[in-house]
Amino acid sequence: HVQLVESGGGSVQVGGSLRLSCVASGDTIGRYCMGWFRQIPDKEREGVAGIESDGSTSYADSVKGRFTVSQDSAKNTLYLKMNNLEPEDTAMYTCAAEHVCPIIFETAHRGQGTQVTVS
């Protein structure tokens, strides 16, 4: 099955940008529905963005127009470009993969997460 490793998180100022990466191994991401989730302490986990095998994308209302999800099949990598970051975007970001959409986080293949802090 697919293994996922995220990177690219860090601390950034309000209005700044980050690009998260999720490198997959063990299988091809084109076979999966891929997505990014985030977890803020004491709040519900939120699906941030997703991309299906046909390339169609979806976004949470809170990030539309600021975040862009994409994937590079040659690098077997999922990306999340985050622009105009706000303090409310501070969270642990995790990528996930399922053979079908929508992704059910609890049962999906997922990475360990990467922390994003906006201040």
Side-chain angles (χ1 to χ4, degrees):
H1 61 270
V2 67
Q3 291 95 44
L4 306 170
V5 178
E6 304 93 335
S7 63
S11 296
V12 64
Q13 292 185 335
V14 172
S17 298
L18 283 174
R19 189 180 76 161
L20 306 183
S21 299
C22 173
V23 179
S25 60
D27 206 344
T28 303
I29 59 172
R31 295 163 51 92
Y32 292 85
C33 181
M34 303 292 298
W36 289 97
F37 291 77
R38 66 185 181 186
Q39 177 74 64
I40 301 169
D42 299 326
K43 292 191 177 181
E44 284 192 16
R45 184 179 297 107
E46 177 184 28
V48 174
I51 184 166
E52 301 189 30
S53 56
D54 64 359
S56 58
T57 59
S58 59
Y59 298 92
D61 288 343
S62 57
V63 306
K64 279 181 182 176
R66 300 189 297 122
F67 290 13
T68 303
V69 62
S70 62
Q71 58 189 15
D72 185 331
S73 57
K75 296 182 178 180
N76 215 27
T77 300
L78 177 74
Y79 299 102
L80 184 67
K81 181 66 188 301
M82 306 185 294
N83 295 325
N84 195 20
L85 283 160
E86 304 167 351
E88 293 74 22
D89 297 316
T90 296
M92 178 68 75
Y93 286 74
T94 303
C95 71
E98 280 246 55
H99 283 295
V100 295
C101 294
I103 296 172
I104 307 299
F105 184 83
E106 287 75 11
T107 57
H109 306 289
R110 55 188 187 269
Q112 293 301 308
T114 186
Q115 178 68 37
V116 172
T117 302
V118 185
S119 60

